[in-house]
Protein backbone atom coordinates (compact mmCIF):
# COMPACT_ATOMS: atom_id res chain seq x y z
CA UNK A 1 0.00 0.00 0.00
CA UNK A 2 1.69 3.20 -1.13
CA UNK A 3 -0.21 6.46 -1.09
CA UNK A 4 0.38 9.00 -3.89
CA UNK A 5 1.89 11.36 -1.29
CA UNK A 6 4.39 8.87 0.05
CA UNK A 7 5.23 7.75 -3.49
CA UNK A 8 5.99 11.36 -4.32
CA UNK A 9 8.08 11.73 -1.17
CA UNK A 10 9.99 8.59 -2.02
CA UNK A 11 10.62 9.78 -5.56
CA UNK A 12 11.83 13.09 -4.15
CA UNK A 13 14.13 11.27 -1.74
CA UNK A 14 15.51 9.14 -4.60
CA UNK A 15 16.04 12.20 -6.77
CA UNK A 16 17.64 14.20 -3.97
CA UNK A 17 19.98 11.45 -2.81
CA UNK A 18 23.61 12.09 -3.75
CA UNK A 19 25.41 9.30 -5.58
CA UNK A 20 27.55 8.82 -2.52
CA UNK A 21 24.49 7.97 -0.36
CA UNK A 22 25.68 6.17 2.74
CA UNK A 23 24.61 2.52 2.98
CA UNK A 24 22.63 2.00 6.15
CA UNK A 25 20.74 -0.59 8.16
CA UNK A 26 17.50 0.58 9.71
CA UNK A 27 16.60 -0.68 13.19
CA UNK A 28 12.99 -0.69 14.31
CA UNK A 29 11.54 -1.19 17.78
CA UNK A 30 7.75 -0.93 17.78
CA UNK A 31 5.82 -0.47 21.03
CA UNK A 32 2.10 -0.14 21.68
CA UNK A 33 1.98 3.54 20.70
CA UNK A 34 5.55 4.28 19.65
CA UNK A 35 8.19 3.39 17.10
CA UNK A 36 11.90 3.84 17.72
CA UNK A 37 13.86 3.84 14.46
CA UNK A 38 17.55 4.39 13.82
CA UNK A 39 19.97 4.37 10.91
CA UNK A 40 23.35 2.72 11.50
CA UNK A 41 26.23 2.54 9.08
CA UNK A 42 25.88 -0.66 7.09
CA UNK A 43 29.50 -1.65 7.78
CA UNK A 44 29.74 -1.17 11.55
CA UNK A 45 29.46 1.14 14.54
CA UNK A 46 27.39 1.18 17.69
CA UNK A 47 25.86 4.64 17.41
CA UNK A 48 23.17 5.50 14.89
CA UNK A 49 23.91 8.47 12.63
CA UNK A 50 20.20 9.33 12.67
CA UNK A 51 17.53 8.22 15.11
CA UNK A 52 13.85 8.88 15.36
CA UNK A 53 11.17 8.51 17.99
CA UNK A 54 7.53 8.49 16.92
CA UNK A 55 5.19 8.71 19.92
CA UNK A 56 1.48 8.67 20.77
CA UNK A 57 0.64 6.88 17.52
CA UNK A 58 -3.05 6.38 16.99
CA UNK A 59 -3.93 9.65 18.73
CA UNK A 60 -4.30 13.22 17.51
CA UNK A 61 -1.22 14.08 19.59
CA UNK A 62 1.17 11.93 17.54
CA UNK A 63 4.63 13.44 17.28
CA UNK A 64 8.00 12.59 15.80
CA UNK A 65 11.51 13.76 16.67
CA UNK A 66 14.90 13.14 15.05
CA UNK A 67 18.40 13.13 16.57
CA UNK A 68 21.86 12.95 15.08
CA UNK A 69 24.84 10.85 16.19
CA UNK A 70 25.58 13.25 19.07
CA UNK A 71 21.92 13.12 20.14
CA UNK A 72 21.38 16.72 19.02
CA UNK A 73 17.89 17.46 17.74
CA UNK A 74 17.61 17.40 13.94
CA UNK A 75 14.89 19.42 12.24
CA UNK A 76 12.81 17.05 10.16
CA UNK A 77 9.88 17.67 7.85
CA UNK A 78 6.53 18.35 9.55
CA UNK A 79 4.50 15.25 10.34
CA UNK A 80 1.63 14.94 7.83
CA UNK A 81 -1.73 14.89 9.61
CA UNK A 82 -2.53 11.27 8.74
CA UNK A 83 0.95 9.76 9.32
CA UNK A 84 0.36 9.49 13.06
CA UNK A 85 -2.92 7.61 12.79
CA UNK A 86 -1.32 4.13 12.81
CA UNK A 87 1.99 2.27 12.91
CA UNK A 88 1.65 1.46 9.21
CA UNK A 89 0.94 5.05 8.19
CA UNK A 90 3.95 6.17 10.24
CA UNK A 91 6.28 3.57 8.70
CA UNK A 92 5.09 4.49 5.22
CA UNK A 93 6.04 8.12 5.82
CA UNK A 94 9.15 7.38 7.86
CA UNK A 95 11.39 5.37 5.54
CA UNK A 96 11.59 7.92 2.70
CA UNK A 97 11.89 10.61 5.34
CA UNK A 98 14.84 8.89 7.06
CA UNK A 99 16.51 8.21 3.71
CA UNK A 100 16.18 11.86 2.84
CA UNK A 101 17.31 13.27 6.17
CA UNK A 102 20.14 10.77 6.56
CA UNK A 103 21.21 10.91 2.90
CA UNK A 104 21.12 7.15 3.17
CA UNK A 105 20.56 4.07 1.07
CA UNK A 106 18.75 1.64 3.41
CA UNK A 107 19.86 -1.92 2.59
CA UNK A 108 18.05 -3.87 5.35
CA UNK A 109 15.70 -3.41 8.30
CA UNK A 110 16.28 -5.12 11.65
CA UNK A 111 13.19 -5.50 13.83
CA UNK A 112 13.15 -6.19 17.55
CA UNK A 113 10.97 -9.18 18.36
CA UNK A 114 10.44 -10.08 22.00
CA UNK A 115 9.58 -13.78 21.64
CA UNK A 116 11.34 -16.09 19.20
CA UNK A 117 9.96 -19.30 20.68
CA UNK A 118 11.87 -22.60 20.62
CA UNK A 119 13.00 -22.42 16.99
CA UNK A 120 14.78 -19.07 16.89
CA UNK A 121 18.09 -19.32 18.71
CA UNK A 122 19.41 -16.49 16.56
CA UNK A 123 18.31 -13.61 14.33
CA UNK A 124 16.78 -14.61 10.98
CA UNK A 125 15.49 -13.28 7.69
CA UNK A 126 11.73 -12.72 7.85
CA UNK A 127 9.40 -14.42 5.39
CA UNK A 128 5.73 -15.41 5.58
CA UNK A 129 6.62 -18.64 7.43
CA UNK A 130 8.53 -16.74 10.10
CA UNK A 131 5.62 -14.29 10.49
CA UNK A 132 3.20 -17.19 11.00
CA UNK A 133 5.47 -18.79 13.62
CA UNK A 134 5.82 -15.48 15.49
CA UNK A 135 2.08 -14.94 15.31
CA UNK A 136 1.57 -18.15 17.29
CA UNK A 137 3.70 -16.67 20.09
CA UNK A 138 1.52 -13.57 20.59
CA UNK A 139 -0.24 -15.01 23.68
CA UNK A 140 3.17 -15.35 25.36
CA UNK A 141 4.18 -11.71 24.99
CA UNK A 142 1.01 -9.70 24.68
CA UNK A 143 2.49 -6.37 25.66
CA UNK A 144 5.06 -6.37 22.82
CA UNK A 145 4.71 -9.07 20.18
CA UNK A 146 1.49 -7.80 18.50
CA UNK A 147 2.99 -4.35 17.86
CA UNK A 148 6.26 -5.78 16.60
CA UNK A 149 4.42 -8.12 14.25
CA UNK A 150 2.31 -5.28 13.02
CA UNK A 151 5.50 -3.36 12.13
CA UNK A 152 6.94 -6.45 10.42
CA UNK A 153 3.80 -7.02 8.36
CA UNK A 154 3.66 -3.34 7.39
CA UNK A 155 7.31 -3.38 6.40
CA UNK A 156 6.81 -6.51 4.26
CA UNK A 157 3.92 -4.80 2.48
CA UNK A 158 5.51 -1.38 2.14
CA UNK A 159 9.07 -2.40 1.25
CA UNK A 160 8.79 -5.85 -0.37
CA UNK A 161 12.35 -5.80 -1.73
CA UNK A 162 14.04 -4.82 1.53
CA UNK A 163 15.51 -7.72 3.55
CA UNK A 164 13.93 -7.73 6.98
CA UNK A 165 15.71 -9.36 9.90
CA UNK A 166 14.00 -10.37 13.14
CA UNK A 167 16.21 -10.02 16.22
CA UNK A 168 14.88 -11.85 19.27
CA UNK A 169 15.00 -11.03 22.97
CA UNK A 170 14.90 -14.76 23.72
CA UNK A 171 17.97 -15.80 21.66
CA UNK A 172 20.61 -14.76 24.20
CA UNK A 173 19.22 -17.33 26.64
CA UNK A 174 19.73 -20.32 24.31
CA UNK A 175 22.75 -21.18 26.52
CA UNK A 176 20.63 -21.65 29.69
CA UNK A 177 20.91 -25.31 30.80
CA UNK A 178 17.92 -27.60 30.40
CA UNK A 179 17.26 -27.87 34.13
CA UNK A 180 16.86 -24.08 34.39
CA UNK A 181 14.62 -24.03 31.31
CA UNK A 182 12.22 -26.67 32.53
CA UNK A 183 8.89 -25.96 34.22
CA UNK A 184 7.77 -28.82 36.47
CA UNK A 185 4.62 -29.61 34.50
CA UNK A 186 3.78 -32.93 32.81
CA UNK A 187 6.03 -33.96 29.89
CA UNK A 188 3.28 -33.69 27.30
CA UNK A 189 2.91 -30.00 28.21
CA UNK A 190 6.68 -29.42 28.11
CA UNK A 191 6.79 -31.02 24.66
CA UNK A 192 4.41 -28.34 23.45
CA UNK A 193 7.02 -25.67 24.18
CA UNK A 194 5.83 -24.71 27.65
CA UNK A 195 9.22 -23.99 29.18
CA UNK A 196 11.21 -21.01 30.36
CA UNK A 197 12.68 -18.82 27.59
CA UNK A 198 13.88 -15.58 29.19
CA UNK A 199 13.76 -12.08 27.66
CA UNK A 200 15.68 -8.75 27.50
CA UNK A 201 18.29 -10.71 25.51
CA UNK A 202 19.23 -7.80 23.23
CA UNK A 203 20.06 -5.73 26.31
CA UNK A 204 22.02 -8.57 27.96
CA UNK A 205 23.89 -9.18 24.71
CA UNK A 206 25.01 -5.53 24.68
CA UNK A 207 26.06 -5.54 28.34
CA UNK A 208 27.86 -8.86 27.91
CA UNK A 209 29.93 -7.26 25.12
CA UNK A 210 30.80 -4.28 27.36
CA UNK A 211 31.85 -6.38 30.38
CA UNK A 212 35.57 -6.80 29.51
CA UNK A 213 36.03 -3.03 29.13
CA UNK A 214 34.24 -2.19 32.40
CA UNK A 215 34.97 -5.21 34.64
CA UNK A 216 38.38 -6.36 33.36
CA UNK A 217 39.20 -9.92 34.45
CA UNK A 218 35.90 -10.26 36.36
CA UNK A 219 34.04 -10.17 33.03
CA UNK A 220 34.57 -13.88 32.47
CA UNK A 221 33.43 -14.75 36.01
CA UNK A 222 29.96 -14.91 37.56
CA UNK A 223 28.06 -11.74 36.74
CA UNK A 224 24.47 -10.84 37.56
CA UNK A 225 22.91 -8.17 35.33
CA UNK A 226 19.80 -6.37 36.58
CA UNK A 227 17.86 -4.88 33.67
CA UNK A 228 15.45 -2.64 35.56
CA UNK A 229 13.12 -0.65 33.34
CA UNK A 230 9.39 -0.69 32.87
CA UNK A 231 9.95 -4.38 32.18
CA UNK A 232 12.52 -5.86 34.58
CA UNK A 233 14.56 -9.03 34.78
CA UNK A 234 17.88 -10.47 35.94
CA UNK A 235 20.40 -12.54 34.01
CA UNK A 236 23.16 -14.65 35.54
CA UNK A 237 26.18 -15.03 33.26
CA UNK A 238 29.23 -17.23 33.46
CA UNK A 239 31.96 -16.40 30.97
CA UNK A 240 29.54 -13.86 29.43
CA UNK A 241 26.96 -16.50 28.50
CA UNK A 242 23.45 -16.61 29.96
CA UNK A 243 23.03 -19.42 32.50
CA UNK A 244 19.97 -18.23 34.43
CA UNK A 245 17.30 -15.58 34.10
CA UNK A 246 14.17 -14.51 35.99
CA UNK A 247 11.68 -14.16 33.13
CA UNK A 248 10.25 -17.47 31.98
CA UNK A 249 7.66 -18.77 29.54
CA UNK A 250 6.35 -15.22 29.24
CA UNK A 251 7.44 -11.73 30.25
CA UNK A 252 5.23 -11.97 33.35
CA UNK A 253 7.68 -13.99 35.43
CA UNK A 254 10.36 -12.84 37.86
CA UNK A 255 10.74 -9.32 39.26
CA UNK A 256 8.05 -6.77 40.06
CA UNK A 257 7.67 -4.53 36.98
CA UNK A 258 5.93 -1.30 36.03
CA UNK A 259 2.63 -2.99 35.21
CA UNK A 260 3.33 -6.73 35.69
CA UNK A 261 3.49 -8.58 39.01
CA UNK A 262 6.42 -10.90 38.27
CA UNK A 263 6.52 -14.24 40.06
CA UNK A 264 2.99 -14.97 41.34
CA UNK A 265 1.60 -18.04 43.06
CA UNK A 266 -0.29 -19.90 40.27
CA UNK A 267 -2.86 -20.73 42.96
CA UNK A 268 -3.75 -17.03 43.16
CA UNK A 269 -4.44 -17.02 39.41
CA UNK A 270 -6.65 -20.11 39.75
CA UNK A 271 -8.51 -18.44 42.61
CA UNK A 272 -9.22 -15.38 40.47
CA UNK A 273 -10.63 -17.63 37.73
CA UNK A 274 -12.52 -20.11 39.87
CA UNK A 275 -13.73 -18.07 42.81
CA UNK A 276 -13.80 -14.44 41.68
CA UNK A 277 -15.03 -15.35 38.17
CA UNK A 278 -12.58 -13.20 36.18
CA UNK A 279 -12.50 -14.01 32.46
CA UNK A 280 -9.28 -14.82 30.59
CA UNK A 281 -9.32 -11.39 29.04
CA UNK A 282 -9.78 -9.67 32.41
CA UNK A 283 -6.95 -11.74 33.87
CA UNK A 284 -4.63 -10.86 31.00
CA UNK A 285 -5.43 -7.18 31.37
CA UNK A 286 -4.81 -7.32 35.10
CA UNK A 287 -1.52 -9.20 34.80
CA UNK A 288 -0.04 -7.21 31.90
CA UNK A 289 -1.42 -3.73 32.57
CA UNK A 290 -2.77 -3.25 36.08
CA UNK A 291 -0.29 -4.96 38.39
CA UNK A 292 3.31 -4.35 39.48
CA UNK A 293 4.26 -0.83 40.62
CA UNK A 294 1.04 0.53 39.15
CA UNK A 295 -1.19 -1.99 40.92
CA UNK A 296 0.49 -1.85 44.34
CA UNK A 297 0.82 1.95 44.44
CA UNK A 298 -2.53 2.66 42.80
CA UNK A 299 -0.72 5.74 41.45
CA UNK A 300 1.64 5.04 38.55
CA UNK A 301 3.90 2.51 36.82
CA UNK A 302 6.61 5.18 36.63
CA UNK A 303 9.38 4.89 39.22
CA UNK A 304 10.11 8.62 39.08
CA UNK A 305 6.53 9.46 40.04
CA UNK A 306 6.58 6.95 42.91
CA UNK A 307 9.91 8.26 44.23
CA UNK A 308 8.41 11.74 44.44
CA UNK A 309 5.19 10.61 46.10
CA UNK A 310 4.51 10.73 49.87
CA UNK A 311 1.72 8.13 49.64
CA UNK A 312 2.31 5.00 51.75
CA UNK A 313 1.26 2.81 48.79
CA UNK A 314 4.03 4.36 46.66
CA UNK A 315 6.53 3.48 49.38
CA UNK A 316 5.16 -0.07 49.59
CA UNK A 317 5.46 -0.49 45.80
CA UNK A 318 9.10 0.67 45.88
CA UNK A 319 9.90 -1.50 48.92
CA UNK A 320 8.40 -4.53 47.18
CA UNK A 321 10.34 -3.79 43.96
CA UNK A 322 13.58 -3.68 45.97
CA UNK A 323 12.71 -6.67 48.18
CA UNK A 324 11.99 -8.90 45.20
CA UNK A 325 15.09 -7.73 43.32
CA UNK A 326 17.27 -8.57 46.34
CA UNK A 327 15.61 -11.95 46.78
CA UNK A 328 15.98 -12.88 43.11
CA UNK A 329 19.59 -11.67 42.91
CA UNK A 330 20.32 -14.15 45.70
CA UNK A 331 18.53 -16.86 43.72
CA UNK A 332 20.40 -16.15 40.48
CA UNK A 333 23.72 -16.03 42.37
CA UNK A 334 22.89 -19.47 43.78
CA UNK A 335 22.15 -20.76 40.29
CA UNK A 336 25.52 -19.64 38.89
CA UNK A 337 27.56 -20.71 41.93
CA UNK A 338 28.23 -17.26 43.42
CA UNK A 339 28.73 -13.71 42.22
CA UNK A 340 31.75 -11.62 41.22
CA UNK A 341 29.94 -8.53 39.95
CA UNK A 342 26.47 -6.99 39.83
CA UNK A 343 25.59 -4.72 36.89
CA UNK A 344 22.62 -2.34 36.68
CA UNK A 345 21.03 -1.24 33.42
CA UNK A 346 17.63 -0.08 32.02
CA UNK A 347 15.78 3.16 32.84
CA UNK A 348 15.66 2.51 36.60
CA UNK A 349 18.99 0.65 36.79
CA UNK A 350 20.85 3.45 34.99
CA UNK A 351 19.16 6.47 36.59
CA UNK A 352 17.54 5.75 39.95
CA UNK A 353 20.44 6.00 42.44
CA UNK A 354 18.26 5.52 45.58
CA UNK A 355 16.75 2.31 44.17
CA UNK A 356 20.21 0.96 43.29
CA UNK A 357 21.46 1.89 46.77
CA UNK A 358 18.57 0.03 48.45
CA UNK A 359 19.18 -3.08 46.32
CA UNK A 360 22.94 -2.93 46.93
CA UNK A 361 22.39 -2.63 50.69
CA UNK A 362 20.14 -5.69 50.52
CA UNK A 363 22.90 -7.58 48.70
CA UNK A 364 25.63 -6.73 51.25
CA UNK A 365 25.42 -10.32 52.57
CA UNK A 366 26.72 -11.49 49.17
CA UNK A 367 29.84 -9.36 49.63
CA UNK A 368 28.75 -6.49 47.36
CA UNK A 369 30.07 -3.07 48.44
CA UNK A 370 29.45 0.33 46.92
CA UNK A 371 30.53 3.92 47.28
CA UNK A 372 27.48 6.24 47.69
CA UNK A 373 29.23 9.10 45.83
CA UNK A 374 29.95 6.91 42.81
CA UNK A 375 26.38 5.62 42.98
CA UNK A 376 24.97 9.17 43.06
CA UNK A 377 26.62 9.98 39.71
CA UNK A 378 25.75 6.61 38.08
CA UNK A 379 29.43 5.73 37.60
CA UNK A 380 30.47 2.64 35.64
CA UNK A 381 32.31 1.43 38.72
CA UNK A 382 30.41 1.80 42.02
CA UNK A 383 32.63 -0.18 44.41
CA UNK A 384 35.54 0.87 46.62
CA UNK A 385 38.93 -0.74 45.98
CA UNK A 386 39.17 -4.22 47.46
CA UNK A 387 35.45 -5.08 47.24
CA UNK A 388 35.02 -8.83 46.89
CA UNK A 389 31.95 -8.31 44.70
CA UNK A 390 31.84 -5.15 42.59
CA UNK A 391 28.81 -3.15 41.44
CA UNK A 392 28.46 -1.29 38.14
CA UNK A 393 26.18 0.82 35.97
CA UNK A 394 26.33 0.19 32.22
CA UNK A 395 23.98 1.89 29.77
CA UNK A 396 22.19 -0.54 27.54
CA UNK A 397 22.08 -0.19 23.75
CA UNK A 398 19.59 -2.65 22.30
CA UNK A 399 19.50 -0.83 18.95
CA UNK A 400 23.24 -1.43 18.40
CA UNK A 401 22.68 -5.17 18.93
CA UNK A 402 19.81 -5.17 16.43
CA UNK A 403 22.09 -3.38 13.93
CA UNK A 404 24.91 -5.86 14.54
CA UNK A 405 22.68 -8.92 14.17
CA UNK A 406 21.08 -7.43 11.05
CA UNK A 407 24.48 -6.85 9.44
CA UNK A 408 25.49 -10.45 10.28
CA UNK A 409 22.37 -12.00 8.71
CA UNK A 410 22.75 -9.72 5.69
CA UNK A 411 26.38 -10.77 5.26
CA UNK A 412 25.23 -14.41 5.36
CA UNK A 413 22.62 -13.77 2.65
CA UNK A 414 25.09 -11.93 0.46
CA UNK A 415 27.72 -14.66 0.72
CA UNK A 416 25.28 -17.33 -0.55
P1 LIG B 1 11.25 0.14 29.00
O1 LIG B 1 11.25 -1.15 29.73
O2 LIG B 1 9.88 0.58 28.56
O3 LIG B 1 12.33 0.28 27.94
P2 LIG B 1 12.89 2.04 30.44
O4 LIG B 1 14.11 1.20 30.44
O5 LIG B 1 12.89 3.29 29.63
O6 LIG B 1 11.58 1.21 30.12
O7 LIG B 1 12.60 2.42 31.96
C1 LIG B 1 11.48 3.14 32.34
C2 LIG B 1 11.54 3.30 33.86
O8 LIG B 1 12.74 4.00 34.19
C3 LIG B 1 10.37 4.12 34.41
O9 LIG B 1 9.90 3.53 35.61
C4 LIG B 1 11.06 5.44 34.75
O10 LIG B 1 10.44 6.09 35.80
C5 LIG B 1 12.42 4.97 35.15
N1 LIG B 1 13.37 6.11 35.12
C6 LIG B 1 13.87 6.74 34.05
N2 LIG B 1 14.67 7.77 34.45
C7 LIG B 1 14.64 7.75 35.81
C8 LIG B 1 15.24 8.55 36.83
N3 LIG B 1 16.02 9.58 36.53
N4 LIG B 1 15.00 8.24 38.11
C9 LIG B 1 14.19 7.22 38.43
N5 LIG B 1 13.60 6.42 37.53
C10 LIG B 1 13.82 6.69 36.24
Amino acid sequence: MTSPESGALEAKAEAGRPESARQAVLTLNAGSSSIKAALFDRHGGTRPFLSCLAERLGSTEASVSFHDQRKALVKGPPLPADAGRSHEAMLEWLLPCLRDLGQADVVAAGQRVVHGGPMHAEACLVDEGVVAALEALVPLARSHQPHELQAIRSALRLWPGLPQIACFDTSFHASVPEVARTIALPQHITRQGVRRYGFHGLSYDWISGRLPAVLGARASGRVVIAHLGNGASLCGLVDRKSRATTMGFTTLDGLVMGDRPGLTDPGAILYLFDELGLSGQEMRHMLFEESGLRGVSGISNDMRVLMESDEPTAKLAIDLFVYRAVREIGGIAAEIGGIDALVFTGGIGENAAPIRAAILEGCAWLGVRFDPDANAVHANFLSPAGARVTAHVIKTNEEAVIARQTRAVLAGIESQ
Side-chain angles (χ1 to χ4, degrees), residues 324-402:
R324 289 277 297 282
V326 169
R327 194 183 127 159
E328 297 294 325
I329 288 168
I332 294 282
E335 278 195 79
I336 58 173
I339 178 170
D340 299 305
L342 174 59
V343 177
F344 290 91
T345 193
I348 297 171
E350 291 167 22
N351 301 299
I355 304 296
R356 272 198 313 262
I359 294 173
L360 287 165
E361 278 157 16
C363 292
W365 68 277
L366 284 166
V368 188
R369 290 177 52 214
F370 76 102
D371 168 4
D373 294 335
N375 186 45
V377 296
H378 321 296
N380 268 168
F381 210 95
L382 302 181
S383 298
R388 188 162 60 75
V389 180
T390 54
H392 309 266
V393 178
I394 303 179
K395 264 190 191 317
T396 196
N397 189 352
E398 289 154 305
E399 268 67 32
V401 176
I402 299 173

Side-chain angles (χ1 to χ4, degrees), residues 36 112 144 200 227-232 258 260 293 301-305 307 345-355 378 396 398:
K36 282 187 209 159
R112 179 191 183 189
H144 299 88
H200 285 137
H227 178 112
L228 309 178
N230 197 33
R260 289 166 263 166
L293 295 177
N301 65 348
D302 190 315
M303 186 57 94
R304 271 170 300 200
V305 173
M307 288 165 70
T345 193
I348 297 171
E350 291 167 22
N351 301 299
I355 304 296
H378 321 296
T396 196
E398 289 154 305

